Amino acid sequence: MNEYGYIVLFLSLTLGIMALPLPIEAMMGYAGFLSFQGQLNWIGCVLAAAAGCLLGMFLSYWIGQKLGMSFFEKYGRRIHLGSNRLHATSVWFKKYGNKLLIIALFIPGVRHLTGYFAGITRLPFRTFTAYSCLGSMIWVSTFILLGKMLGPKWETFHEIIKTYLIAAGIILAIVIILFYLLKKYRVEILRVSIKFGKIILTVFRSRGKAELFLTIISIGTICFILLMV
């Protein structure tokens, strides 16, 4: 990046959009940091990154159009583009339509599939190009300008964001799993809840048992509070 900034940025975005495991957000942020130092021009960085992103999208579209869904269903898992991911992207497309091409670049995992999926579904190339151009400019400008504005604090900011993204990802995964379990096993959960409620009522019928139950709950609560502190 320090020696061949624009070329490296262009090639990285091209390959990253095609699903190669490259830290393209970090590279765009670092390009913004280099523009803050005066080593690169931020407009040049935006243009190079946007051009690379568009080339990657166009190549993905062409590959998806030529190979079709059957190829990805058969061999997609070998290149992390299996049928499950394609199905998830299909659901997103049905829900958000062409607007997904604008926001998809901000979503890791989804942005690598949009070009392929647009080609597979034979989305009109003009429509694909228009939305891809707009989405690319917004996406690359955001990260490069962030790197430029943060300047020397960019590296610290990037580490903090990475940490919070990992935590947010874990929380989101837990919420999704709980929602899935609640939706799939709602009858069983309701039955267990009713059974547990009956047990509690039975316990509270006896004063001695109720006092014992409340004591255990109180001790458990105190332990959790101490653990949190």
Side-chain angles (χ1 to χ4, degrees):
M1 282 290 290
N2 290 335
E3 293 183 21
Y4 308 102
Y6 303 115
I7 297 173
V8 171
L9 196 59
F10 173 80
L11 293 175
S12 297
L13 265 293
T14 300
L15 298 174
I17 288 298
M18 295 179 71
L20 270 75
L22 296 172
I24 45 184
E25 288 101 338
M27 296 184 77
M28 288 190 290
Y30 186 64
F33 172 65
L34 292 177
S35 69
F36 168 82
Q37 291 185 323
Q39 296 184 43
L40 296 174
N41 181 279
W42 75 270
I43 295 177
C45 290
V46 169
L47 292 175
C53 180
L54 281 173
L55 179 59
M57 294 284 279
F58 291 158
L59 290 173
S60 303
Y61 179 92
W62 180 78
I63 292 171
Q65 190 179 52
K66 292 295 181 183
L67 298 179
M69 181 66 82
S70 58
F71 173 85
F72 289 97
E73 287 179 346
K74 191 173 182 180
Y75 302 106
R77 288 188 177 182
R78 298 181 183 180
I79 53 175
H80 307 291
L81 296 174
S83 57
N84 290 337
R85 282 194 171 186
L86 289 171
H87 175 71
T89 308
S90 174
V91 172
W92 279 68
F93 259 100
K94 288 178 182 177
K95 188 173 183 180
Y96 298 106
N98 296 329
K99 295 176 184 177
L100 180 63
L101 292 170
I102 298 175
I103 63 169
L105 291 169
F106 289 90
I107 309 171
V110 175
R111 63 168 164 261
H112 306 112
L113 298 176
T114 50
Y116 294 106
F117 190 80
I120 290 169
T121 56
R122 301 294 195 273
L123 182 72
F125 187 71
R126 287 185 179 180
T127 304
F128 175 75
T129 301
Y131 281 95
S132 296
C133 287
L134 181 59
S136 297
M137 289 300 296
I138 295 172
W139 181 52
V140 302
S141 299
T142 300
F143 281 91
I144 290 172
L145 287 174
L146 269 175
K148 181 177 173 59
M149 288 188 295
L150 290 168
K153 295 182 180 179
W154 170 81
E155 189 174 349
T156 303
F157 175 80
H158 180 258
E159 289 300 320
I160 292 171
I161 286 295
K162 187 168 68 174
T163 302
Y164 279 103
L165 280 175
I166 292 170
I170 293 170
I171 293 170
L172 181 62
I174 292 170
V175 170
I176 291 171
I177 291 169
L178 289 175
F179 178 76
Y180 171 77
L181 292 174
L182 183 63
K183 188 176 179 180
K184 187 173 182 179
Y185 301 104
R186 57 182 179 274
V187 176
E188 289 82 357
I189 292 172
L190 182 62
R191 190 182 298 121
V192 171
S193 299
I194 293 171
K195 187 176 180 181
F196 184 69
K198 289 179 180 179
I199 293 172
I200 291 175
L201 288 173
T202 303
V203 169
F204 272 93
R205 285 173 186 170
S206 170
R207 184 178 175 183
K209 290 181 179 179
E211 289 177 354
L212 177 63
F213 178 78
L214 290 173
T215 301
I216 294 171
I217 292 295
S218 300
I219 293 171
T221 303
I222 293 169
C223 290
F224 277 114
I225 291 171
L226 290 173
L227 182 62
M228 289 169 63
V229 172

